[in-house]
Amino acid sequence: MAAKRRLSKLHSFFWLLVLVAVAVLTGEHTEHIDARLYNYAGKAVGMVPTERTLHLLHAGQTAPREPDTTVETRRIECPAVTAIELDDSTAARCFAALPLGPQDFAVLLHKLGESCGTRHLAISAPLSWQGDTAPIARQMVALGITRFDSKAIGLRGRTTADADFTPAVLRAGSIPPEQIEGDTTDLPAANRAFENDLLYLNEAQQLAWAPDRINDERLTQNPTAATDRSFPLLARWNGEILPTLPLRLAMQIKGLKPTDIKVRMGKDIRLGTITLPLDERGCTRLQQSVSNSLKPESFIDSSSTPARAPIVLLSIPPDGKAEGRRPAQLAATISQLCATEITEYHTQQGAPGLSLMYRTPATDWLSLSILAAIALFAVRVLPYFPGVLCKLTMLAALGGLLWFAHREMQLGYWVHLTSAIATWLTLALALCVLRPTEMKRRR
């Protein structure tokens, strides 16, 4: 007798219906799982950026744009500082007689505030006049300076064998030693002040004084050729570290006290919330500074309309000869020190959404026939395969399914991957049940 294997048609038909039902029902209700699978797979293979979302679409749908993003940008903005130089040749065109007296200087200050709208003033000038000047005239100059919102007066200094006490008006701006790190020996140094007709007036105590020109200190008198190097910000006076004229005015404008200044020699200097690089000589870089020049005759002559100059550096050379570069450097230094950090927020429109368009494998009768043939093969023929060969066939089918989904994804399409995997698992279960039975027959 010989045995013949037979598979029940009823069982095969039942499992065929189960496979169809699983494919249809899971395809309608598991699209959210498909979305997660495609996003995970797309990010794993590098097709979808980590921060983006992949949308699965049907015909007529459009992927939503990515959310708008707010971008923060920060920039340094420096105010424009105007340099005005009153050398002898310029003064001769503006005033009837030379040398200028304190009354002429008081007129100059009045014109600055009235015609140019100047609110902040730094003065680099000898402020000493020939002959005996009346105290009332000097008081007019001091009072004229106090009318500005911020004012800093430069004091010329020198180093002598017979040191003098540091003027009290300078000590008021001294930076505390605990605010300074590093070696300060390379800073410009002085120990005695030059004669100044305003220094000991009672009104002078209301003014902010600072070291300005220092004899035998080239950086304070003749700027280097490098246009990006500032005037020294610090000077030593009898061992005390003082802010020089540009820094003193910047402190006035920004409302900073000496304790708000943090110095690290050779590294940086912090002015409130702004930090600038600082070299061993006390200079910084003029990276964003804005400065310009203005001729005195343009605002002293009442018939002309001068440009507005809210911040002014007024320079009068001690020898009466035009310097040009030094006033420009002082003005640029003040501009850089008065820098403010501007924070702006910009909204950027989200990028177009990433998407895949749905494409069903059953697009026509031919594809439907192929799928039907595969289903019949799976429930009628595959159960007859030996165990190992059956398992290899199922693994090959799963690999082919994943390859097909990946290829479609590269082409911009998606399929019901969850439905396909659920159907494959159902078939694997069916193959555990669908076992051909042996039937005996007589010869």
Side-chain angles (χ1 to χ4, degrees):
M1 270 189 308
K4 184 177 181 181
R5 301 174 68 201
R6 181 180 177 187
L7 184 64
S8 172
K9 293 181 180 178
L10 181 61
H11 289 174
S12 298
F13 182 69
F14 169 78
W15 283 106
L16 179 61
L17 291 180
V18 171
L19 290 176
V20 173
V22 169
V24 172
L25 293 178
T26 55
E28 294 179 354
H29 300 93
T30 59
E31 194 167 311
H32 62 288
I33 302 178
D34 284 325
R36 291 187 180 182
L37 286 176
Y38 273 97
N39 272 280
Y40 177 79
K43 292 173 182 179
V45 299
M47 295 180 63
V48 180
T50 306
E51 69 281 0
R52 302 288 297 277
T53 300
L54 183 64
H55 301 275
L56 305 184
L57 306 180
H58 293 273
Q61 293 181 332
T62 304
R65 301 185 73 90
E66 294 293 323
D68 294 345
T69 57
T70 300
V71 179
E72 178 183 290
T73 59
R74 298 187 180 188
R75 59 185 175 85
I76 298 296
E77 187 173 278
C78 297
V81 177
T82 301
I84 299 176
E85 185 174 27
L86 192 65
D87 56 88
D88 286 349
S89 62
T90 302
R93 297 195 297 269
C94 303
F95 296 93
L98 293 180
L100 299 182
Q103 298 91 336
D104 300 318
F105 199 83
V107 170
L108 179 66
L109 295 175
H110 176 74
K111 289 289 186 178
L112 266 177
E114 182 182 71
S115 302
C116 300
T118 301
R119 298 175 50 225
H120 313 289
L121 176 66
I123 299 176
S124 176
L127 296 180
S128 60
W129 295 279
Q130 296 180 1
D132 294 330
T133 56
I136 186 67
R138 286 176 282 159
Q139 289 175 345
M140 287 175 56
V141 174
L143 290 173
I145 297 174
T146 59
R147 293 192 181 98
F148 294 92
D149 294 345
S150 306
K151 49 271 178 181
I153 313 301
L155 183 63
R156 293 191 298 157
R158 55 187 170 173
T159 299
T160 65
D162 185 17
D164 196 3
F165 290 107
T166 304
V169 290
L170 287 183
R171 290 201 304 270
S174 175
I175 299 175
E178 60 271 17
Q179 297 293 105
I180 302 172
E181 297 179 11
D183 185 7
T184 60
T185 56
D186 287 334
L187 293 176
N191 61 14
R192 179 180 286 271
F194 276 90
E195 179 184 353
N196 188 295
D197 289 343
L198 299 184
L199 185 59
Y200 299 106
L201 292 177
N202 290 332
E203 292 79 5
Q205 308 306 312
Q206 304 176 39
L207 307 177
W209 294 77
D212 181 19
R213 293 178 187 268
I214 298 179
N215 270 19
D216 301 323
E217 293 286 354
R218 182 180 56 82
L219 292 179
T220 67
Q221 300 189 82
N222 301 308
T224 62
T227 57
D228 65 339
R229 187 66 60 179
S230 77
F231 188 86
L233 310 185
L234 304 167
R236 289 186 297 116
W237 199 295
N238 281 332
E240 295 183 83
I241 305 302
L242 305 174
T244 58
L245 180 61
L247 180 55
R248 196 75 169 98
L249 181 66
M251 292 170 62
Q252 293 277 307
I253 293 174
K254 303 179 82 168
L256 299 177
K257 303 184 295 296
T259 53
D260 297 324
I261 308 298
K262 176 67 176 178
V263 178
R264 297 195 302 170
M265 295 303 303
K267 295 180 179 179
D268 53 48
I269 180 171
R270 190 180 71 221
L271 313 175
T273 59
I274 298 295
T275 300
L276 299 173
L278 190 74
D279 64 16
E280 293 79 2
R281 304 301 303 274
C283 300
T284 187
R285 290 191 176 277
L286 305 176
Q287 298 172 322
Q288 297 94 8
S289 62
V290 180
S291 60
N292 52 60
S293 60
L294 183 67
K295 297 295 183 182
E297 54 264 34
S298 66
F299 61 88
I300 291 177
D301 183 2
S302 57
S303 63
S304 60
T305 304
R308 305 297 289 178
I311 307 176
V312 167
L313 178 279
L314 177 60
S315 175
I316 301 179
D319 59 3
K321 297 179 181 178
E323 295 174 305
R325 183 182 293 174
R326 185 177 186 274
Q329 185 195 43
L330 280 166
T333 303
I334 295 171
S335 175
Q336 186 68 57
L337 296 176
C338 291
T340 54
E341 187 177 64
I342 307 297
T343 302
E344 297 176 334
Y345 297 91
H346 308 276
T347 300
Q348 291 185 347
Q349 188 179 29
L354 299 177
S355 63
L356 298 175
M357 189 61 65
Y358 175 69
R359 181 156 70 176
T360 176
T363 55
D364 50 30
W365 285 106
L366 177 60
S367 58
L368 283 173
S369 300
I370 294 174
L371 291 175
I374 293 174
L376 287 173
F377 173 84
V379 297
R380 290 299 298 168
V381 179
L382 198 55
Y384 287 99
F385 282 27
V388 175
L389 182 59
C390 181
K391 292 177 181 178
L392 290 175
T393 303
M394 288 295 291
L395 288 176
L398 180 61
L401 176 65
L402 296 177
W403 171 84
F404 174 76
H406 181 259
R407 191 200 68 169
E408 290 292 287
M409 185 177 180
Q410 289 181 319
L411 296 175
Y413 298 99
W414 69 280
V415 294
H416 283 300
L417 186 58
T418 306
S419 175
I421 293 175
T423 305
W424 182 87
L425 291 173
T426 304
L427 177 59
L429 177 63
L431 292 175
C432 295
V433 177
L434 289 173
R435 296 180 181 277
T437 59
E438 294 184 356
M439 298 184 63
K440 297 181 179 180
R441 65 178 181 177
R442 297 178 181 274
R443 286 190 175 181

